[in-house]
RNA sequence: GCGGAUGUGGCGAAAUUGGUAGACGCGCCAGACUUAGGAUCUGGAGCCGCAAGGCGUGGGGGUUCGAGUCCCUUCAUCCGCACCA
C-alpha cells in the first residue's frame, strides 16, 4: 500500500461507489430519514463553476455523516435544464438544445464524481425530460383549473366556482381575482360561453391577461421582474422595455399572506427572510374613492396614512393611469401628452438615478371626499401604475415625496399633524396631534387612522385595505427550450389538457428563432400546433422557474409515471431537512417553490406547507488577482516589496495569472512562457523573488484570476480539496478562492497516513488497548467534529482533526482502537482516503456502511471529574461543587477571581458550578 | 433613504451557554537533513519594550468579580431593495 497515492485511491473508490450503488436511499424505511438538497445547477457549457463545489462538498459531508449515524439519507442531484443559453447556442449552430444539454449534464456528473460526490442514480432528473415536465405541465393545468377562496384560505376547483356563480353570482364571493364587475346568478346563466370563460379566467390561478410586461426585443421574449436587473436582461444584459401584452400569469398574490406568515417558523437567515418579506411588501392602510369634478368617473387611491386626509391638497396619477386622457382639459392636453410620452420612454436606469420630481397638471380636479374642496389632478412618474391603484392623495405636509413635488410646483402645504416644522420638511411621525382635521382634532395621528377609516366606511367612500408590493408573475416565454403550455384554444376559449394527454411533448423544429412575423418559435411546428380535434395549441413555453419550483418533491420518487409523487413516500421524505444554495434565488426560485408547495398542499397532493426547513446560503466565491508593478517609463517589472510607498504612483499595476504565482511570489519563467514575451525585464528582491500584490475581485477570465477545481484535484486530490475548501472558513461567508494554504491540509493527510504506515511502508497498526489519555484525545475530537457538522461549521472540524493527529503522533500511538473511530469521523471529509485505510484495517464493507458506535456514550467524562485539576500551574475547579464542600479543597484553588475570593472569605453561594477556567453558573 | 449582515495578528480564521483571546493553517524567522528544492522534519512568534512591564477583538460609553461575546452610541465595509403612497 505504501505512500499516500491519492490518484489511484480516489479513482478506485469512485469506481467502487458507483458499481456498488452505495448512495441509493431506501424509498421507505423504519430508519429516521434525512433529506439533503443542493440547488440544482443549470448545466452550462462552461462546466462546473468554481463556486459550486463549496456547497456540494458541504452537503456531501452532511450526507455521509448522517448515513454514518444511522439515518436513511436522500441526497439527490438534478439539472435545471431548460434555459436560454442552450437555446441561443442552438440558434447559432442548429444543434438541438436537448443534445447540448445531455452533453453538459454528462460533463457535470463526471466533474462531480471526481470530487467524490455520488448521487442516487434513480433520483437523477432534469427539468427537460418529458417524464419530468409532464408533471410541471400537470401542475400548470391544476393551477388553471383552480381559484382561490379567501375565506377558506385555500385553492378550490373551478367546477365549484361555476356552481357558485350559477346559484348566487359573484357578489358575495371573497376570492383572489382580477374580476372587477359583479353579476347575479341569473346574469351568469345568461352569459355566452365565451363571456363565461372570460370571467372564469379572472379567477383562475393560472390565467391569461393583458399585462405590462418586460419585453426584451433582443431575446424576443418577455421576462419576469426577477429576470431584469437595472433595466437589462439578467441573461445577456440586453435592454428591456415595458409593453402591454396578453400573457399567462400565475396568481401568486393569492398566497401573499400565507407566504408571509409561515416565513417566521423557517430556519433561514434573517436577511433571507427580510428579502422575502420586503418582496411581498404587505402594507396596511385604506382605499379612498374620489369623485372627479365635472364627470361621473371616480378615482380610487391607496394610502397608509388616511389620518392625513385633511392635509390632502392635490392628487397625482401615474402617467399610464387609464383616466388621464379623460380628465385632461383641452388647454393642458399638449403638455400632458408630451409628458406621458417622455415618461414612457424614460429609461429605467435614468429613473433610478434621477429622483428629481417631474410632472404636469392635467387641468382636471377631484372633490375632496370630506370637505368637497376642488383639488387639482397632476400626473407624475413618481407615482407608479404597478403599485396600489396608480393614484395617490398627495399630502405634502406629511410625505417627503409629496412635499418635494408641492414645493417645486408651488402647491399649498397644509399641516394637519402638529409637532414638526413643515416650513423645513415633511413631518412623518404618527405621534403628533391632529389639527385642522375636523372630528380628528386632538387625537394622536396613530389614533386617527382607525377613526377616519371607520368614518369613510360609514360614508361608503373608503375602506380598510391591504396592498402588496408583490405582483402576479408572468408565466409565458416566447421561447423554444421550455415546457410547452398545456393549453389549447377553440372558438377563442382556452382549455386545459387532460392528465392522460400529458406530457405535451416539445416538438422538433428546424429553426429555433421566433418566426418572421414575430410569433414564438413553436409556431414553426406546423404539424404539431393544430390538434386532431381542431384545437390550436398555445405557442408559449414556461419560464425556467417552472421546473425548479417543485423538483424537490420529485426526487424521492422520480420514476413514478402515475403520480407526481407517491403520497406515502412524500410524507416520509418531505420536508427537505437541509437546503444549500446561493442567495441569488432569494426572491425567485425560493418564493415560487414555496408558492407551489402551498398550492400542492391545497390540492392534497403533498403533506407539507413549507418545503425547506433549514436553508443555508453559501457565500460567493471571489477571485484573488495578482498584480505586478510596472514602471511607467522604463516598463521594468519591479518586485512589490522593493517599491517605497511614496513611489507607487510611478508604476502601473498589471494583472498576472494567479496560476503562476504562489504566496505572492511569481514564477518569472512561467510568465515568459505564458506571454511569450522573452524581453520582459524584472527586478527581483534580495532573495531572488518577484513579489506581487493580491487583490480580491470578481472571478473572471479577463483578470487571470480563475482557478479550475479540476487542476487542484489532479495536483492534490479530491480529499485535500474537500478538506481545504471546508477549512477556509464558514460556508455562508463570501470568500476569495485562494489556494495558498492548501499544502497545510495536504500535509495533514500525509501525516495521518503515516500513523498507519512507517517510513519503509511497514504496517504500524497495533491491537493494544488504548490509554485513558489516548481515548480522551479521540473523544474530544469526535465531540468537536460532531458539533461542527451539526451546526454546519465545517471549518471548525478540520483543525480538530489536525490536533488529533498531532497529539496521537506525539504519543507514538498506532492503536487500532484509536485509529478506527478516527477514520470513521474523518470519512465525511476525506472519504476516499478513509475507505482505503478502512479496507487496509481488514474491513470488508465500505466505511459508509459502518454505522458508528454511539460515540456520545463513550465520552470519558467520569475520568475528567478529578477535582481539582492542575493545568498550566494554576489549579482549577472542574465540576459542580456543593455549598458544603470541604473548605480545604476549595482553598487549593488560586483562581484570580473575586467571586471565588469572596467565597473563600466565607460568603459562600449555595451552589457554584465551575468548569476549567470559567465559572459557568452561580446559584446564590 | 430603507432592510439585513459583518468588523479579531501580515493573511484565512477559532473561541457553542459571558470565564486563560488569537486554536488550526498560510506566510514569516531560526535550525536540521539534502547535489538542489515551491520537498521533509524540529522550534519561535499578537503588538510596543533590552527587560520588568504595558497595550490589545473598528471607535466611544455602560452592565458584570469578569465582555470578542450582553446593552447604548458611533464609524467603516459588504449584500438586497429603492420615488411602494
Amino acid at each position: 500500500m505504501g505512500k499516500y497515492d491519492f490518484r489511484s485511491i480516489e479513482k478506485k473508490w469512485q469506481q467502487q461507489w458507483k458499481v456498488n450503488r452505495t448512495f441509493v436511499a431506501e424509498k421507505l424505511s423504519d430508519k429516521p430519514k434525512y433529506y439533503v438538497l443542493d440547488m440544482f445547477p443549470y448545466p452550462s457549457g462552461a462546466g462546473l463553476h468554481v463556486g459550486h463545489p463549496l456547497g456540494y462538498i458541504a452537503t456531501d459531508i452532511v450526507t455521509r455523516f448522517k448515513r454514518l449515524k444511522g439515518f436513511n439519507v436522500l441526497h439527490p442531484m438534478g439539472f435545471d435544464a431548460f434555459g436560454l443559453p442552450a437555446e441561443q447556442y442552438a440558434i447559432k449552430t442548429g444543434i438541438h438544445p436537448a443534445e447540448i444539454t445531455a452533453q453538459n449534464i454528462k460533463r457535470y456528473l463526471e466533474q462531480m464524481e471526481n470530487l467524490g460526490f455520488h448521487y442516487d442514480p434513480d433520483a437523477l432528473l432534469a427539468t427537460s425530460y418529458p417524464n419530468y415536465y409532464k408533471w410541471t405541465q400537470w401542475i400548470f393545468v391544476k393551477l388553471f383549473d383552480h381559484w382561490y377562496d379567501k375565506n377558506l384560505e385555500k385553492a378550490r376547483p373551478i367546477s365549484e366556482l361555476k356552481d357558485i356563480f350559477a346559484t348566487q353570482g359573484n357578489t358575495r364571493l371573497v376570492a383572489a381575482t382580477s374580476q372587477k364587475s359583479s353579476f347575479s346568478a341569473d346574469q351568469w346563466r345568461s352569459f355566452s360561453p365565451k363571456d363565461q370563460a372570460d370571467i372564469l379566467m379572472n379567477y383562475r390561478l393560472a390565467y391569461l391577461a393583458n399585462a405590462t410586461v418586460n419585453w426584451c426585443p433582443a431575446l424576443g421574449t418577455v421576462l419576469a421582474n426577477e429576470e431584469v436587473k437595472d433595466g437589462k436582461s439578467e441573461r445577456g444584459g440586453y435592454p428591456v422595455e415595458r409593453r402591454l401584452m396578453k400573457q399567462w400569469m400565475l396568481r401568486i398574490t393569492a398566497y401573499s399572506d400565507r407566504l408571509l406568515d409561515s416565513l417566521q417558523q423557517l430556519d433561514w437567515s434573517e436577511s433571507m427572510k427580510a428579502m422575502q418579506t420586503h418582496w411581498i411588501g404587505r402594507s396596511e392602510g385604506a382605499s379612498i374613492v374620489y369623485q372627479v369634478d365635472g364627470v361621473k368617473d371616480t378615482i380610487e387611491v391607496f394610502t397608509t396614512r388616511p389620518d392625513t386626509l385633511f392635509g390632502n391638497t392635490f392628487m397625482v396619477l401615474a402617467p399610464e393611469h387609464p383616466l388621464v386622457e379623460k380628465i385632461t382639459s383641452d388647454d393642458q392636453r399638449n403638455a400632458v401628452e408630451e409628458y406621458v410620452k417622455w415618461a414612457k420612454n424614460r429609461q429605467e436606469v435614468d429613473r433610478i438615478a434621477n429622483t428629481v420630481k417631474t410632472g404636469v397638471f392635467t387641468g382636471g380636479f377631484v372633490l375632496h371626499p370630506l370637505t368637497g374642496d376642488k383639488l387639482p389632478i397632476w400626473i407624475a412618474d413618481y407615482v407608479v401604475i404597478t403599485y396600489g391603484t396608480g393614484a395617490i392623495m398627495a399630502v405634502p405636509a406629511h410625505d417627503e415625496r409629496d412635499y418635494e413635488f408641492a414645493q417645486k410646483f408651488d402647491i399649498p402645504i397644509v399641516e394637519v399633524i402638529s409637532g414638526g416644522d413643515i416650513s423645513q420638511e415633511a413631518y412623518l411621525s404618527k405621534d403628533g396631534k391632529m389639527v385642522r382635521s375636523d372630528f380628528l382634532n386632538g387625537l394622536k395621528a396613530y389614533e386617527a387612522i382607525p377613526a377616519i377609516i371607520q368614518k369613510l366606511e360609514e360614508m361608503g367612500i373608503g375602506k380598510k385595505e391591504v396592498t402588496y408590493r408583490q405582483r402576479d408573475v408572468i408565466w409565458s416565454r416566447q421561447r423554444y427550450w421550455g415546457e410547452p403550455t398545456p393549453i389549447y384554444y377553440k372558438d377563442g376559449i382556452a382549455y386545459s389538457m387532460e392528465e392522460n394527454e400529458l406530457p405535451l411533448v416539445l416538438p422538433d423544429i428546424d429553426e429555433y428563432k421566433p418566426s418572421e412575423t414575430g410569433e414564438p418559435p413553436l409556431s414553426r411546428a406546423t404539424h404539431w400546433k393544430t390538434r386532431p380535434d381542431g384545437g390550436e395549441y398555445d405557442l408559449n413555453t414556461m419560464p425556467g422557474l417552472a421546473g425548479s419550483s417543485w423538483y424537490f418533491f420529485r426526487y424521492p420518487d422520480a420514476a413514478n409515471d402515475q403520480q407526481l409523487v407517491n403520497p406515502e413516500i412524500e410524507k416520509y421524505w418531505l420536508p427537505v431537512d437541509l437546503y444549500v444554495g446561493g442567495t441569488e434565488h432569494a426572491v425567485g426560485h425560493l418564493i415560487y417553490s414555496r408558492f407551489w408547495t402551498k398550492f400542492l398542499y391545497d390540492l392534497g397532493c403533498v403533506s407539507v406547507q413549507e418545503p425547506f426547513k433549514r436553508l443555508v446560503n453559501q457565500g460567493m466565491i471571489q477571485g484573488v488577482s495578482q498584480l505586478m508593478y510596472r514602471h511607467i517609463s522604463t516598463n521594468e517589472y519591479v518586485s512589490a516589496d522593493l517599491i517605497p510607498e511614496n513611489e507607487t504612483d510611478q508604476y502601473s499595476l498589471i494583472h498576472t495569472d494567479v496560476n503562476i504565482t504562489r504566496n505572492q511570489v511569481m514564477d518569472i519563467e512561467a510568465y515568459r512562457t505564458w506571454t511569450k514575451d522573452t524581453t520582459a525585464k524584472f527586478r527581483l528582491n534580495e532573495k531572488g523573488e518577484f513579489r506581487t500584490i493580491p487583490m480580491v475581485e470578481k472571478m473572471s477570465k479577463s483578470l487571470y484570476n480563475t482557478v479550475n477545481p479540476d487542476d487542484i484535484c489532479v495536483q492534490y486530490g479530491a480529499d485535500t480539496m474537500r478538506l481545504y475548501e471546508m477549512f477556509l472558513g464558514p460556508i455562508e461567508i463570501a470568500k476569495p478562492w485562494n489556494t495558498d494554504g492548501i499544502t497545510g491540509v495536504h500535509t495533514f493527510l500525509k501525516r495521518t497516513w503515516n500513523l498507519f504506515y512507517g517510513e519503509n511502508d511497514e504496517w504500524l497498526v497495533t491491537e493494544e488497548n488504548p490509554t485513558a489519555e489516548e481515548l480522551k484525545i479521540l473523544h474530544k475530537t469526535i465531540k468537536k467534529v460532531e458539533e461542527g457538522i451539526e451546526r454546519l461549521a465545517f471549518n471548525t472540524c478540520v483543525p480538530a482533526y489536525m490536533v488529533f493527529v498531532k497529539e496521537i503522533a506525539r504519543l507514538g500511538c498506532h492503536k487500532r482502537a484509536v485509529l478506527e473511530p478516527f477514520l470513521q469521523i474523518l470519512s465525511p471529509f476525506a472519504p476516499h482516503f478513509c475507505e482505503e485505510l478502512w479496507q487496509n484495517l481488514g474491513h470488508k464493507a465500505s466505511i459508509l456502511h459502518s454505522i458508528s458506535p454511539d460515540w456520545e456514550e463513550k465520552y470519558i467524562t467520569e475520568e475528567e471529574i478529578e477535582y481539582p485539576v492542575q493545568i498550566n500551574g494554576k489549579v482549577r475547579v472542574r465540576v459542580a461543587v456543593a455549598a458544603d464542600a470541604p473548605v480545604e479543597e476549595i482553598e487549593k484553588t488560586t483562581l484570580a477571581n473575586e467571586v471565588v475570593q469572596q467565597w473563600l472569605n466565607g460568603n459562600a453561594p449555595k451552589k457554584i458550578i465551575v468548569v476549567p477556567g470559567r465559572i459557568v453558573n452561580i446559584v446564590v
Side-chain angles (χ1 to χ4, degrees):
Chain A
M1 302 299 140
K3 285 273 167 271
Y4 172 39
D5 177 7
F6 58 85
R7 285 191 192 87
S8 62
I9 290 172
E10 289 178 0
K11 216 177 176 86
K12 170 178 156 193
W13 287 104
Q14 284 162 11
Q15 203 56 38
Q16 291 270 318
W17 292 328
K18 201 169 175 178
V19 172
N20 298 335
R21 294 168 59 83
T22 307
F23 288 86
V24 178
E26 294 170 56
K27 280 197 173 183
L28 283 170
S29 163
D30 295 333
K31 284 196 246 173
K33 67 92 185 182
Y34 200 85
Y35 187 177
V36 197
L37 189 60
D38 298 285
M39 288 186 188
F40 64 170
Y42 174 81
S44 92
L48 208 58
H49 183 271
V50 285
H52 286 137
L54 186 65
Y56 297 163
I57 293 169
T59 50
D60 193 58
I61 288 170
V62 172
T63 300
R64 289 168 185 269
F65 177 73
K66 285 287 179 184
R67 201 178 285 271
L68 214 54
K69 295 292 279 181
F71 286 80
N72 185 23
V73 184
L74 178 63
H75 180 214
M77 181 50 72
F79 295 92
D80 190 11
F82 278 133
L84 222 40
E87 176 160 342
Q88 287 183 309
Y89 190 75
I91 291 171
K92 245 192 291 179
T93 62
I95 302 172
H96 197 288
E99 202 177 308
I100 304 158
T101 305
Q103 280 172 20
N104 290 345
I105 287 177
K106 192 163 165 262
R107 167 122 190 259
Y108 267 61
L109 288 172
E110 280 168 10
Q111 284 187 295
M112 288 169 177
E113 275 176 27
N114 285 340
L115 283 165
F117 311 145
H118 286 259
Y119 303 100
D120 185 341
D122 300 336
L124 190 85
L125 59 82
T127 53
S128 61
Y129 296 165
N131 67 358
Y132 179 84
Y133 70 68
K134 168 180 176 176
W135 299 103
T136 311
Q137 291 172 330
W138 182 86
I139 296 170
F140 185 89
V141 167
K142 292 291 176 194
L143 284 162
F144 179 82
D145 286 336
H146 282 76
W147 61 287
Y148 198 80
D149 184 330
K150 285 207 157 180
N151 280 335
L152 297 181
E153 287 290 348
K154 186 177 191 296
R156 296 175 62 187
I158 285 286
S159 57
E160 293 179 16
L161 185 66
K162 286 186 194 164
D163 293 344
I164 293 172
F165 287 165
T167 54
Q168 44 183 280
N170 74 345
T171 44
R172 279 187 294 156
L173 191 67
V174 188
T177 179
S178 30
Q179 175 72 18
K180 294 274 186 264
S181 58
S182 52
F183 50 83
S184 66
D186 287 341
Q187 283 173 304
W188 170 258
R189 287 193 295 266
S190 70
F191 289 147
S192 71
K194 168 83 169 103
D195 288 344
Q196 288 188 344
D198 287 349
I199 289 170
L200 289 174
M201 193 59 96
N202 290 334
Y203 287 86
R204 296 179 188 277
L205 287 172
Y207 63 101
L208 273 173
N210 276 315
T212 309
V213 300
N214 305 299
W215 173 257
C216 180
L219 296 172
T221 187
V222 303
L223 298 169
N225 291 336
E226 301 84 271
E227 292 170 320
V228 181
K229 294 267 179 285
D230 299 332
K232 300 260 173 71
S233 68
E234 190 184 18
R235 296 218 184 231
Y238 302 108
V240 170
E241 55 191 54
R242 310 285 292 167
R243 204 190 254 200
L244 199 68
M245 289 175 76
K246 190 160 216 178
Q247 297 288 318
W248 283 105
M249 316 264 290
L250 296 193
R251 209 178 295 282
I252 186 174
T253 49
Y255 284 85
S256 293
D257 278 329
R258 279 168 69 185
L259 288 169
L260 209 51
D261 292 344
S262 57
L263 202 52
Q264 305 313 319
Q265 337 147 359
L266 298 177
D267 187 4
W268 293 19
S269 73
E270 284 311 309
S271 69
M272 212 57 166
K273 290 187 193 178
M275 277 158 82
Q276 292 217 344
T277 304
H278 180 77
W279 179 255
I280 295 167
R282 181 190 156 100
S283 58
E284 291 183 22
S287 63
I288 306 173
V289 178
Y290 283 68
Q291 184 61 50
V292 179
D293 187 33
V295 282
K296 68 177 193 358
D297 291 283
T298 58
I299 296 175
E300 189 178 344
V301 302
F302 172 76
T303 178
T304 53
R305 297 296 303 271
D307 52 310
T308 64
L309 182 55
F310 286 94
N312 174 211
T313 53
F314 60 105
M315 174 173 277
V316 187
L317 304 186
E320 303 92 337
H321 196 283
L323 279 177
V324 168
E325 212 189 314
K326 197 158 179 186
I327 56 168
T328 301
S329 67
D330 290 339
D331 49 332
Q332 287 297 97
R333 191 161 303 276
N334 278 344
V336 167
E337 278 172 6
E338 208 168 290
Y339 182 77
V340 170
K341 206 171 139 195
W342 175 81
K344 192 181 167 188
N345 290 332
R346 195 178 180 194
Q347 289 291 314
E348 193 77 12
V349 185
D350 182 38
R351 268 180 59 116
I352 292 165
N354 197 351
T355 55
V356 174
K357 296 283 175 291
T358 59
V360 60
F361 177 47
T362 61
F365 293 87
V366 285
L367 303 175
H368 190 284
L370 296 179
T371 65
D373 291 347
K374 272 173 76 171
L375 308 178
I377 307 172
W378 290 66
I379 60 170
D381 71 354
Y382 82 90
V383 175
V384 294
I385 191 69
T386 49
Y387 184 75
T389 58
I392 61 158
M393 60 170 227
V395 184
H398 305 291
D399 181 282
E400 283 173 317
R401 293 147 301 175
D402 299 346
Y403 187 88
E404 195 188 322
F405 192 81
Q407 284 222 313
K408 179 164 177 188
F409 294 103
D410 213 15
I411 303 170
I413 298 171
V414 176
E415 179 185 58
V416 291
I417 302 170
S418 63
D421 178 5
I422 62 150
S423 67
Q424 293 305 309
E425 56 178 3
Y427 179 61
L428 307 177
S429 169
K430 288 182 193 167
D431 291 325
K433 276 226 164 73
M434 303 302 302
V435 293
R436 292 187 201 89
S437 294
D438 194 5
F439 61 97
L440 298 174
N441 285 342
L443 292 177
K444 294 263 194 173
Y446 61 82
E447 297 165 333
I449 293 175
I452 193 151
I453 289 175
Q454 196 191 340
K455 177 84 172 174
L456 292 168
E457 282 177 351
E458 279 166 17
M459 295 174 67
I461 52 169
K463 60 176 196 290
K464 191 171 175 179
E465 183 88 78
V466 178
T467 296
Y468 301 87
R469 202 187 84 102
Q470 183 178 41
R471 307 258 61 87
D472 282 345
V473 56
I474 295 162
W475 211 250
S476 354
R477 298 292 182 273
Q478 291 69 44
R479 310 297 321 172
Y480 173 72
W481 191 230
E483 301 87 350
T485 312
I487 296 287
Y488 59 93
Y489 303 91
K490 256 184 170 174
D491 305 323
I493 297 174
Y495 297 92
S496 61
M497 292 173 69
E498 298 295 323
E499 184 173 333
N500 61 19
E501 295 179 293
L502 297 176
L504 174 57
V505 177
L506 188 63
D508 285 336
I509 55 178
D510 43 21
E511 245 196 292
Y512 303 101
K513 282 191 287 211
S515 75
E516 280 63 34
T517 55
E519 282 200 275
L522 284 184
S523 66
R524 295 176 182 274
T526 43
H527 298 292
W528 169 85
K529 63 183 179 182
T530 306
R531 289 162 57 92
D533 64 6
E536 294 280 331
Y537 279 124
D538 192 284
L539 299 177
N540 294 296
T541 52
M542 296 192 220
L545 289 166
S548 62
S549 293
W550 70 279
Y551 72 110
F552 37 89
F553 286 118
R554 187 64 178 169
Y555 280 130
D557 193 20
N560 192 334
D561 56 1
Q562 299 302 312
Q563 289 163 301
L564 187 148
V565 56
N566 173 297
E568 205 186 338
I569 294 174
E570 184 276 331
K571 208 166 175 202
Y572 176 67
W573 282 109
L574 270 290
V576 173
D577 294 281
L578 175 65
Y579 195 32
V580 177
T583 338
E584 64 272 19
H585 299 107
V587 291
H589 160 63
L590 285 168
I591 216 157
Y592 296 108
S593 297
R594 295 182 60 225
F595 162 39
W596 278 30
T597 299
K598 286 179 194 303
F599 174 66
L600 291 171
Y601 175 85
D602 286 355
L603 293 187
C605 206
V606 303
S607 65
V608 292
Q609 289 230 43
E610 283 294 339
F612 313 123
K613 205 155 76 181
R614 185 176 184 190
L615 173 72
V616 173
N617 302 109
Q618 95 244 31
M620 291 264 282
I621 296 287
Q622 299 150 301
V624 181
S625 306
Q626 297 294 337
L627 302 164
M628 306 179 289
Y629 280 108
R630 187 176 68 189
H631 197 272
I632 289 170
S633 48
T634 65
N635 275 346
E636 184 188 27
Y637 294 100
V638 179
S639 181
D641 52 342
L642 297 179
I643 298 172
E645 240 172 76
N646 56 2
E647 286 178 22
T648 50
D649 55 350
Q650 295 172 27
Y651 295 85
S652 50
L653 283 165
I654 311 289
H655 279 86
T656 183
D657 187 345
V658 294
N659 294 296
I660 58 166
T661 66
R662 239 194 76 156
N663 292 317
Q664 282 103 257
V665 176
M666 188 178 78
D667 181 339
I668 288 170
E669 284 318 307
Y671 180 81
R672 290 201 168 112
T673 318
W674 173 50
T675 57
K676 303 198 176 70
D677 179 1
T678 48
T679 60
K681 286 177 294 179
F682 293 92
R683 181 138 53 95
L684 310 179
N685 67 15
E686 65 277 7
K687 286 197 212 151
E689 298 166 335
F690 184 86
R691 296 206 151 258
T692 55
I693 302 281
M695 187 163 73
V696 174
E697 296 179 289
K698 218 181 136 153
M699 191 171 278
S700 157
K701 281 222 166 84
S702 64
L703 301 172
Y704 309 115
N705 61 7
T706 56
V707 182
N708 187 339
D710 295 343
D711 294 346
I712 294 179
C713 272
V714 170
Q715 208 180 342
Y716 296 99
D719 287 329
T720 299
M721 162 95 176
R722 293 164 60 108
L723 278 161
Y724 181 62
E725 277 220 32
M726 291 300 105
F727 178 64
L728 269 178
I731 52 171
E732 300 95 325
I733 303 293
K735 55 180 144 310
W737 181 286
N738 187 340
T739 41
D740 284 350
I742 200 165
T743 51
V745 171
H746 194 61
T747 304
F748 154 74
L749 282 181
K750 283 193 278 189
R751 281 190 189 145
T752 309
W753 188 267
N754 292 341
L755 290 175
F756 293 79
Y757 289 98
E759 260 177 73
N760 306 310
D761 298 351
E762 71 278 20
W763 182 243
L764 299 177
V765 178
T766 69
E767 305 296 328
E768 293 164 80
N769 286 329
T771 65
E773 189 185 6
E774 288 160 354
L775 282 177
K776 196 169 145 189
I777 293 167
L778 172 67
H779 289 294
K780 210 173 63 190
T781 308
I782 289 169
K783 185 161 189 250
K784 243 189 134 80
V785 171
E786 285 199 319
E787 281 173 358
I789 295 175
E790 289 293 352
R791 63 189 172 102
L792 308 182
F794 304 106
N795 52 323
T796 64
C797 298
V798 186
Y801 296 135
M802 289 176 171
V803 170
F804 170 87
V805 170
K806 233 184 203 176
E807 291 184 356
I808 284 298
R810 178 176 51 82
L811 294 174
C813 168
H814 301 282
K815 296 170 184 167
R816 170 188 289 270
V818 174
L819 296 179
E820 219 165 61
F822 178 71
L823 279 186
Q824 285 184 299
I825 195 73
L826 176 63
S827 69
F829 282 74
H832 315 82
F833 179 91
C834 294
E835 280 279 32
E836 179 72 13
L837 289 171
W838 186 254
Q839 195 194 46
N840 296 352
L841 280 167
H843 294 282
K844 291 251 156 55
S846 160
I847 195 167
L848 290 162
H849 293 308
S850 73
I851 300 304
S852 59
D854 199 345
W855 285 313
E856 310 266 350
E857 297 223 341
K858 285 175 69 182
Y859 290 147
I860 42 171
T861 44
E862 297 305 313
E863 283 86 339
E864 283 192 22
I865 306 175
E866 288 164 26
Y867 150 75
V869 174
Q870 182 97 21
I871 304 171
N872 290 353
K874 282 184 183 174
V875 180
R876 282 144 212 273
V877 184
R878 285 213 77 116
V879 289
V881 180
D884 51 299
V887 174
E888 57 275 16
E889 279 190 50
I890 293 158
E891 275 175 348
K892 291 181 195 160
T893 67
T894 55
L895 283 173
N897 181 307
E898 286 186 39
V899 165
V900 175
Q901 287 305 316
Q902 279 184 15
W903 186 16
L904 294 174
N905 292 341
N907 303 323
K910 281 210 186 82
K911 193 179 169 194
I912 180 162
I913 299 168
V914 188
V915 295
R918 58 170 145 159
I919 296 168
V920 161
N921 201 1
I922 301 169
V923 184
V924 181

